[in-house]
Amino acid sequence: MNRGFQWLVGLSIVAMLAACSVGTLQPEGPAPAVPSSPSSPRELGPLTGSLTHPKSRWVPVAWSELPGFDDDALHEGWSALIANCARPNAAFAPLCREVRQLALAETEEQRQWMRQRLQPYRVESLAGEAEGKLTSYYEPVFEASRRPTAMHTVPLYQAPAGLVARRPWFTRQEIDTLPQAQAALRGREIAWMADPIDVLMLHIQGSGRLRITEPDGAQRTVRVAFAATNEQPYRSVQQWLQSQGVTKVSLWPDDTKQWVAQNPQRLSQLLWSNPRYVFFREEPLSEVDASTGPVGAQGVPLTAGRSIAVDRDSIPYGTPVWLASPGPALPLAKLAVAQDTGSAIVGAVRADYFAGTGAEAGRVAARVNQPLRLWVLWPK
């Protein structure tokens, strides 16, 4: 009789647990209510999720640690979060339905949602260093010709046949001088440009827009997107200039062009100081495409002022990030999303800020080289 009673009690407990489990399921419908109170330190829990971060340490913090969080116009950054949901990482994907529902919400409602759904973690190096470096990049716009002319003599290439990822190909100097390298690229020209420094800038930025003059005289604008590299190391032309005794190298590319004008016989030497070479693919540019930036390494279009390039070994693609930089060129405290990478973007607290498209964005990007702090905003 006692054994029968114990069996009934056990069955009742199992039933209660099952009922509790079913009660936690969330039906499809409106996003859950957002509490008005911010998270407190006692809510901070351990880092969860399957993503690893071999170059960085994430330290849980209270929202109050984020400089300017209550002042950012979050609705301006929401488009980057929505773009992120086209190819989200595994941790952020379950939140995308709510992100889309809040697209037209008031900024304060979006801010409360972030407090409820996300947990800030300060990004540090494995040695505990929390300050790093912020630089900036942009999408340049250049004039080009579909055919070589007396003015347009510098080609942009598609990737050559037989190029193998992670296997070094000819250096920049060899591409310019070796017959076998030139033979491999013959017929792979996308367009021709007039200024070799502009071509180098396009290689460094990784993508851009071309206003191409076709053989019949018609003009159209296309995008040239990053396709591959020659897998040679990147070397800074500005650092090379400094090694040559040039003391003022601060406004890229104007200062470099000025140096070339004064030292035309050394142009090739300057170009060859960076052995890395970039190959492109041509993409049509619709009205929708023209309103966004190029597609970053995450596979989604970049959002001006809200997308950053990061080191993937520190921050996974698709992660919302709070970045803070005191300037001096561009003081920032705002929401961004890790959506791109770059060969020079290496380290735990390191970001490249996408400034946008065109000459003004280029002037902004050229000035930014300043201290940085980062917080990842990870789903709870």
Side-chain angles (χ1 to χ4, degrees), residues 263-346:
N263 302 272
Q265 75 283 0
R266 300 189 68 189
L267 171 61
S268 293
Q269 189 179 3
L270 178 142
L271 296 173
W272 296 343
S273 69
N274 176 24
R276 173 160 289 199
Y277 201 94
V278 173
F279 303 106
F280 299 92
R281 64 176 180 273
E282 181 178 335
E283 297 178 347
L285 198 65
S286 67
E287 283 190 28
V288 174
D289 295 331
S291 66
T292 64
V295 173
Q298 183 192 0
V300 302
L302 303 179
T303 302
R306 297 291 177 166
S307 295
I308 58 174
V310 297
D311 187 332
R312 287 188 68 186
D313 288 334
S314 174
I315 301 174
Y317 294 151
T319 302
V321 175
W322 191 262
L323 65 85
S325 179
L330 188 65
L332 294 171
K334 65 194 305 185
L335 171 68
V337 184
Q339 296 180 316
D340 205 3
T341 194
S343 59
I345 313 305
V346 178

Side-chain angles (χ1 to χ4, degrees), residues 47-56 58 84 87-92 121 123 297-298 308-321 336-341 347-348 350 374-379:
L47 180 64
T48 60
S50 59
L51 300 173
T52 59
H53 318 287
K55 286 187 181 177
S56 64
W58 295 5
N84 176 48
R87 297 190 66 177
N89 62 45
F92 197 81
Y121 292 83
V123 180
Q298 183 192 0
I308 58 174
V310 297
D311 187 332
R312 287 188 68 186
D313 288 334
S314 174
I315 301 174
Y317 294 151
T319 302
V321 175
V337 184
Q339 296 180 316
D340 205 3
T341 194
R350 180 72 173 93
L374 292 174
W375 293 260
V376 294
L377 309 180
W378 199 248

